[in-house]
Amino acid sequence: MERGVLVAGRREWLGLAVLVLPVLLVSVTVTVLYFALPFLSADLAPTGSQLLWIIDVYAFLLAGLLIPMGALGDRIGRRRLLLAGATAFGVMSIAAAFAPDAGSLIAARALQGAAAASLMPPTLALIRDMFHDPRQRRMAVAVWSAGFAGGSVLGPIVGGWLLEHLWWGSVFLINVPVMVLLLVLGPIVLPEYRDPGPGRFDLPSAALSLAAVLPAVYAIKQFADGGSGPQVLLGAAAGAAAGAAFLRRQRTLSAPMLDLRLFAGRDLTVSLVTSTLAIFALVGLFYFVTQYLQMVLGLRPLAAGLLTLPAAGAALAGSVLAAAIARWARPGHIVGGGMALVAGGFLVMSRIEADSERWFLVFGLFLLGAGIGAVQATASDLVVAAAPPERAGSASAIMEAATELGGALGVAILGSVGLAAYGERFAATAPALPPEYAEAARETLGGAVGVAARMPGEAGAALLDAARQAFTGGMQVAALLGAFVMALTAILAAILLRPARADPGGPTPRRPRRR
């Protein structure tokens, strides 16, 4: 360990285990709901619009409140915000599980998203407070990153098992015991830290941040669902206008909510971009993979989830390996190499056919997981190291907001490209259909599966085969685009981060104040 640097002990490593709990859970919550939709739809009978809000409102509030919550934690105390968020998240999970109607579930999901925004920034910021030795901090951030990436993969497995044995509300109730454990252990093993000179919390900045992110994420999601009309343009324009006003206000404040000087260094900016693109790749590809496993291969939810498990293991291995070799390798080489692995995973996925062996898919996901794990661990550590201790919460919030943006863009861009290719191939190869069936079958694979179920014998089988082949072709096109973007990012990251070095340590920092 570096001389003169405080070394983390047993309490800090136990604290890290506690900090991974909310990260894992929030990540699982994002993906597990997709498997529960058919079950809650049958029970609550939501309209099409209500179903979209059940899915999206959580992500809207989570993304919109990350930056204000990061700044709030710097001011009132990061542990205090984390524990308050855990309480709210647990309560709202119970409310969602027992929601009597669609409107109540939407409200519970909205408040759950707001609570999740208060959970995420303190976790990474507290790692900055607890681990002062650079080598230990890198390993701690690697574990944190693996929890985040692994949760996205574990969501389908957890959801599949619960839905095969319990009712749809169980996907929310699993949050409660984890939050209780966090509330019990958090005050014992986590330190408290707040900015000693924070300035006042600027409510107009919080409102502008929310007004910038919500319409932008809404526009992206509408575009991903096939929208291209005034709603998309107005959402994007409103978000851009509010974002510009937010940035102007930050330049005039003596204690800004978002310190724009953090972006002066190339390391932080490049790290944010690469992290955004890594999640872009993960979420964008899994949009297709989950449908491929269930509607092309015909697997049950649990079996489909289990096939993604190697990707979670690879993400953990990639994160830990990246932290271990950071002593000898430059961050640019690690990030560039990780992105190259992601590009390789996309290339493998671009060769998958409707009747391909399953090990081929698992191999592609393994490459993808290993690369994303390495990129996320290294990029997260560069972001945390670039921020002074009193701004660690804000820096963490920026990192997580970039992650949310990456996920939304992944579905919007890769999803739109793949679905467009699916529609063209389906129209060229599918048998003739009655007008009332043709549009639904041409739009999505799920629509085609539903139409095929209503058609007799051989006609339904022919339609289903054409839809599966067309969907696989669309996934191939999206994967090729992803491979190109990831390969280009690998080259640029290796060049732009070439001057960066892993933090070699420095003088002994002050200990965080424990309460």
Side-chain angles (χ1 to χ4, degrees), residues 273-285 335-347 367-368 371-372 375-376 406 409-410 413-414 478-494:
V273 172
T274 54
S275 177
T276 300
L277 289 174
I279 301 302
F280 165 94
L282 178 68
V283 177
L285 186 62
V335 173
M339 280 297 191
L341 281 176
V342 176
F346 269 105
L347 283 176
L367 292 178
L368 193 80
I372 288 175
V375 170
Q376 283 294 92
L409 288 173
I413 296 175
L414 294 182
L480 282 174
L481 174 61
F484 173 77
V485 173
M486 295 302 106
L488 181 61
T489 305
I491 296 170
L492 293 176

Side-chain angles (χ1 to χ4, degrees), residues 424-443:
E424 290 180 4
R425 297 183 183 212
F426 180 84
T429 60
L433 293 172
E436 63 269 22
Y437 290 159
E439 184 176 356
R442 188 171 55 248
E443 285 185 352

Side-chain angles (χ1 to χ4, degrees), residues 139-418:
M139 187 58 67
V141 171
V143 174
W144 179 90
S145 300
F148 191 86
S152 299
V153 178
L154 291 174
I157 300 173
V158 174
W161 187 90
L162 289 172
L163 292 168
E164 287 188 12
H165 295 85
L166 301 170
W167 97 112
W168 62 264
S170 61
V171 303
F172 297 110
L173 284 185
I174 59 169
N175 301 331
V176 177
V178 179
M179 291 297 102
V180 170
L181 189 62
L182 174 59
L183 290 170
V184 171
L185 296 179
I188 300 172
V189 298
L190 297 178
E192 181 61 287
Y193 182 91
R194 63 170 63 92
D195 185 352
R200 69 182 181 87
F201 185 80
D202 188 54
L203 287 176
S205 290
L208 285 171
S209 172
L210 198 62
V213 175
L214 289 184
V217 174
Y218 174 77
I220 292 171
K221 286 185 172 289
Q222 286 291 108
F223 179 77
D225 291 333
S228 58
Q231 288 181 323
V232 174
L233 296 177
L234 285 175
F246 174 80
L247 294 177
R248 281 198 303 270
R249 185 168 181 83
Q250 302 316 293
R251 293 190 182 98
T252 64
L253 295 175
S254 58
M257 176 171 289
L258 178 60
D259 190 348
L260 300 181
R261 292 173 298 179
L262 291 173
F263 296 94
R266 177 188 291 181
D267 293 358
L268 185 142
T269 303
V270 175
S271 297
L272 287 174
V273 172
T274 54
S275 177
T276 300
L277 289 174
I279 301 302
F280 165 94
L282 178 68
V283 177
L285 186 62
F286 263 80
Y287 174 79
F288 292 98
V289 169
T290 53
Q291 296 180 72
Y292 176 84
L293 291 172
Q294 294 184 83
M295 288 186 278
V296 176
L297 298 186
L299 299 178
R300 294 174 63 85
L302 180 57
L306 288 173
L307 276 184
T308 66
L309 190 58
L316 175 59
S319 299
V320 174
L321 183 61
I325 66 174
R327 295 177 58 186
W328 307 285
R330 290 177 181 267
H333 295 159
I334 299 173
V335 173
M339 280 297 191
L341 281 176
V342 176
F346 269 105
L347 283 176
V348 171
M349 299 300 295
S350 73
R351 306 300 300 170
I352 287 178
E353 303 287 349
D355 56 353
S356 293
E357 295 289 339
R358 295 176 187 179
W359 69 264
F360 198 52
L361 170 74
V362 171
F363 178 61
L365 295 179
F366 181 88
L367 292 178
L368 193 80
I372 288 175
V375 170
Q376 283 294 92
T378 306
S380 299
D381 185 65
L382 287 173
V383 169
V384 170
E390 64 274 10
R391 289 285 181 264
S394 295
S396 303
I398 298 169
M399 181 74 183
E400 283 136 21
T403 296
E404 290 297 316
L405 177 63
L409 288 173
V411 174
I413 296 175
L414 294 182
S416 297
V417 168

